[in-house]
Amino acid sequence: MTDDPLQDGETIQRRLADLERENEALRRRLAKPGRDARNASRSAGAGAEQHQDMLTTSRLETTAAIEEIRRAREAEERLRLIMESATEYAIFTMDWARRLTSWNAGAQRLFGYGEAEILGQPGDILFTPEDREQGVPQAEVEKAFAEGRATNDRWHMRKDGTRFWGSGLVMLLRDPGSGTLKIMRDTTERQRGIEKQRLLIGELNHRVKNILMNVQSLTSLTLRNSDTLDAFVTALHGRLNAIARAHDLLTSTVWEGADMVDIARAALAPWIADGHISLSGPPVHLQAQRVLPMSMALHELATNALKHGALSVPGGRVALNWRHGSAVEVEWQESGGPPVSPPTRQGFGSRVLNRALAAELDGAIDLRFEPTGVTCLIRFDLGATPPARFRGVEE
């Protein structure tokens, strides 16, 4: 018998044909007359029975061999179809020297190497240079040998030099001397999502602490600058709502900043709706760190206008304009309100604008109390990186 079940089947078929011919020869001898016919008949009959038994056994063996060949071919075809259909998964094998010994269509799609060019190559080329330097390929195989399997979650290299995050398993082949089987797929987008989520959680923790510091600072300073308890409650409520609206904006953009028009609409919604404040300006996107200070600046300007300026009378108006050239300029211009004179002392809103928010925006704020109405010009470089948090105001 050979290792090839097909050749074994052909050998059995030839032997079966020989036995059939011998059996036919015996039958012909029995048919000839002669004085020793009776003895010959008994002898030939016994031989025929032996041959018939051998034929029966041979037929059974042949049938079993043919069935085995059929099952082997079906299994091989199923395996081929599975390997060709699993295009989303890279499936390949390596010997114990970590040389690649098989390579499916999914591996070619994922890594970019054709089967002919990759077979016999070291599997280490699929790892990043830094992982190769740290001995990760060898450690992975050693773990699979010791434990039967090893997880594979790391960056990998394509033929063109680009990287992707691959996730999968390394397992031992059934024949201990054959090597390992690796199955993996591209999970780059999921990994990027995990990394982004990790950064966002860290940023959120940082910002929650800052919010608590801001609330503490605002509460203390609002109380210090309020003449009555009702005035304190009203002012604090408005400032906390301004912070909340700014954070709603940031949450809706996953902390990737916000457009100037959206910041203005969120901070000034009641007065925009009744026509007392108009907005004008090109699309300008502010970084996340600038959204809160800009919202607070607009809130303080509106609060002052509501108490003493254009928003305190029915005919008063505010024009909020912004432009973007070498720097971003946001201009607040009041008109139609009562006559304006410079305040005798600097209130909370003025301190917020002139000190804290100017620093937080990393720019300059020019606040003027003109007789015709308050004007405020906020100017900052959009490319500059502002401080990381809103610090509030200190006396």
Side-chain angles (χ1 to χ4, degrees):
M1 301 290 280
T2 70
D3 292 333
D4 187 346
L6 181 60
Q7 292 183 8
D8 290 343
E10 292 174 349
T11 300
I12 294 170
Q13 291 279 25
R14 286 195 298 271
R15 179 58 179 154
L16 184 59
D18 291 340
L19 291 171
E20 290 280 10
R21 286 192 292 273
E22 292 177 12
N23 199 38
E24 182 61 27
L26 285 172
R27 289 194 183 95
R28 285 197 298 271
R29 286 173 58 192
L30 286 172
K32 293 181 180 179
R35 60 183 181 182
D36 295 327
R38 186 176 297 174
N39 293 334
S41 177
R42 284 196 295 270
S43 176
E49 289 178 0
Q50 277 186 331
H51 280 280
Q52 187 62 44
D53 290 343
M54 293 176 67
L55 284 171
T56 301
T57 301
S58 296
R59 287 193 185 98
L60 292 174
E61 290 177 351
T62 301
T63 301
I66 292 173
E67 180 64 20
E68 181 181 350
I69 292 170
R70 185 187 65 79
R71 286 197 299 267
R73 286 176 174 172
E74 288 180 352
E76 183 179 350
E77 179 63 15
R78 282 196 300 271
L79 179 60
R80 185 188 66 80
L81 290 174
I82 290 171
M83 294 286 283
E84 290 182 356
S85 301
T87 56
E88 294 298 317
Y89 290 84
I91 304 174
F92 52 92
T93 58
M94 293 182 291
D95 59 22
W96 287 116
R98 301 199 302 277
R99 291 186 298 266
L100 291 154
T101 55
S102 70
W103 190 255
N104 81 325
Q108 179 172 340
R109 184 193 64 82
L110 189 55
F111 286 96
Y113 292 98
E115 183 179 26
E117 65 180 319
I118 196 67
L119 292 185
Q121 295 293 321
D124 295 12
I125 65 174
L126 308 178
F127 290 80
T128 63
E130 48 269 35
D131 278 352
R132 291 199 296 268
E133 185 177 347
Q134 295 174 10
V136 171
Q138 181 177 352
E140 186 177 84
V141 171
E142 289 175 351
K143 183 176 181 181
F145 181 76
E147 301 178 11
R149 61 191 298 172
T151 57
N152 179 262
D153 288 286
R154 57 179 50 85
W155 291 105
H156 292 76
M157 298 291 295
R158 293 188 177 94
K159 179 182 178 181
D160 62 6
T162 59
R163 299 187 179 204
F164 70 94
W165 186 272
S167 300
L169 288 173
V170 182
M171 296 166 284
L172 296 182
L173 292 170
R174 286 188 176 182
D175 181 359
S178 297
T180 58
L181 167 70
K182 180 178 269 191
I183 303 174
M184 62 185 300
R185 66 180 304 184
D186 183 353
T187 56
T188 304
E189 291 305 314
R190 185 185 69 178
Q191 181 63 24
R192 285 175 177 164
I194 292 172
E195 292 177 356
K196 184 175 183 179
Q197 185 181 47
R198 187 182 298 117
L199 289 173
L200 287 175
I201 291 173
E203 180 70 12
L204 180 61
N205 289 335
H206 176 71
R207 291 184 179 277
V208 166
K209 292 178 182 178
N210 289 334
I211 290 172
L212 295 176
M213 293 175 62
N214 292 338
V215 170
Q216 183 181 21
S217 175
L218 287 173
T219 302
S220 175
L221 293 172
T222 302
L223 179 61
R224 195 177 306 169
N225 289 271
S226 299
D227 296 328
T228 66
L229 181 60
D230 287 343
F232 163 73
V233 171
T234 300
L236 181 62
H237 186 266
R239 286 161 182 151
L240 292 179
N241 278 339
I243 292 176
R245 287 191 294 268
H247 279 271
D248 284 343
L249 267 180
L250 289 171
T251 301
S252 68
T253 63
V254 199
W255 291 85
E256 292 184 354
D259 291 340
M260 182 62 207
V261 65
D262 294 327
I263 297 171
R265 285 172 178 167
L268 307 171
W271 303 285
I272 295 173
D274 64 17
H276 283 87
I277 296 181
S278 62
L279 307 179
S280 176
V284 176
H285 189 81
L286 271 61
Q287 302 101 315
Q289 297 94 327
R290 285 196 168 103
V291 172
L292 179 56
M294 179 58 71
S295 297
M296 291 300 297
L298 296 178
H299 171 78
E300 294 303 328
L301 287 167
T303 299
N304 183 75
L306 188 62
K307 289 180 179 180
H308 313 291
L311 298 181
S312 67
V313 296
R317 296 290 184 271
V318 175
L320 180 64
N321 306 304
W322 60 88
R323 45 196 172 269
H324 184 201
S326 58
V328 176
E329 292 184 345
V330 180
E331 184 178 29
W332 174 279
Q333 177 68 62
E334 297 182 24
S335 62
V340 175
S341 59
T344 56
R345 68 183 181 90
Q346 192 176 49
F348 176 81
S350 297
R351 285 198 297 275
V352 168
L353 289 169
N354 288 324
R355 293 167 59 183
L357 297 182
E360 294 300 329
L361 287 168
D362 195 23
I365 294 181
D366 183 14
L367 179 62
R368 298 187 180 186
F369 295 89
E370 304 288 349
T372 56
V374 171
T375 64
C376 182
L377 181 64
I378 304 172
R379 190 176 190 277
F380 56 91
D381 183 0
L382 193 60
T385 302
R389 67 181 184 86
F390 174 66
R391 292 185 293 271
V393 181
E394 298 178 359
E395 289 289 352

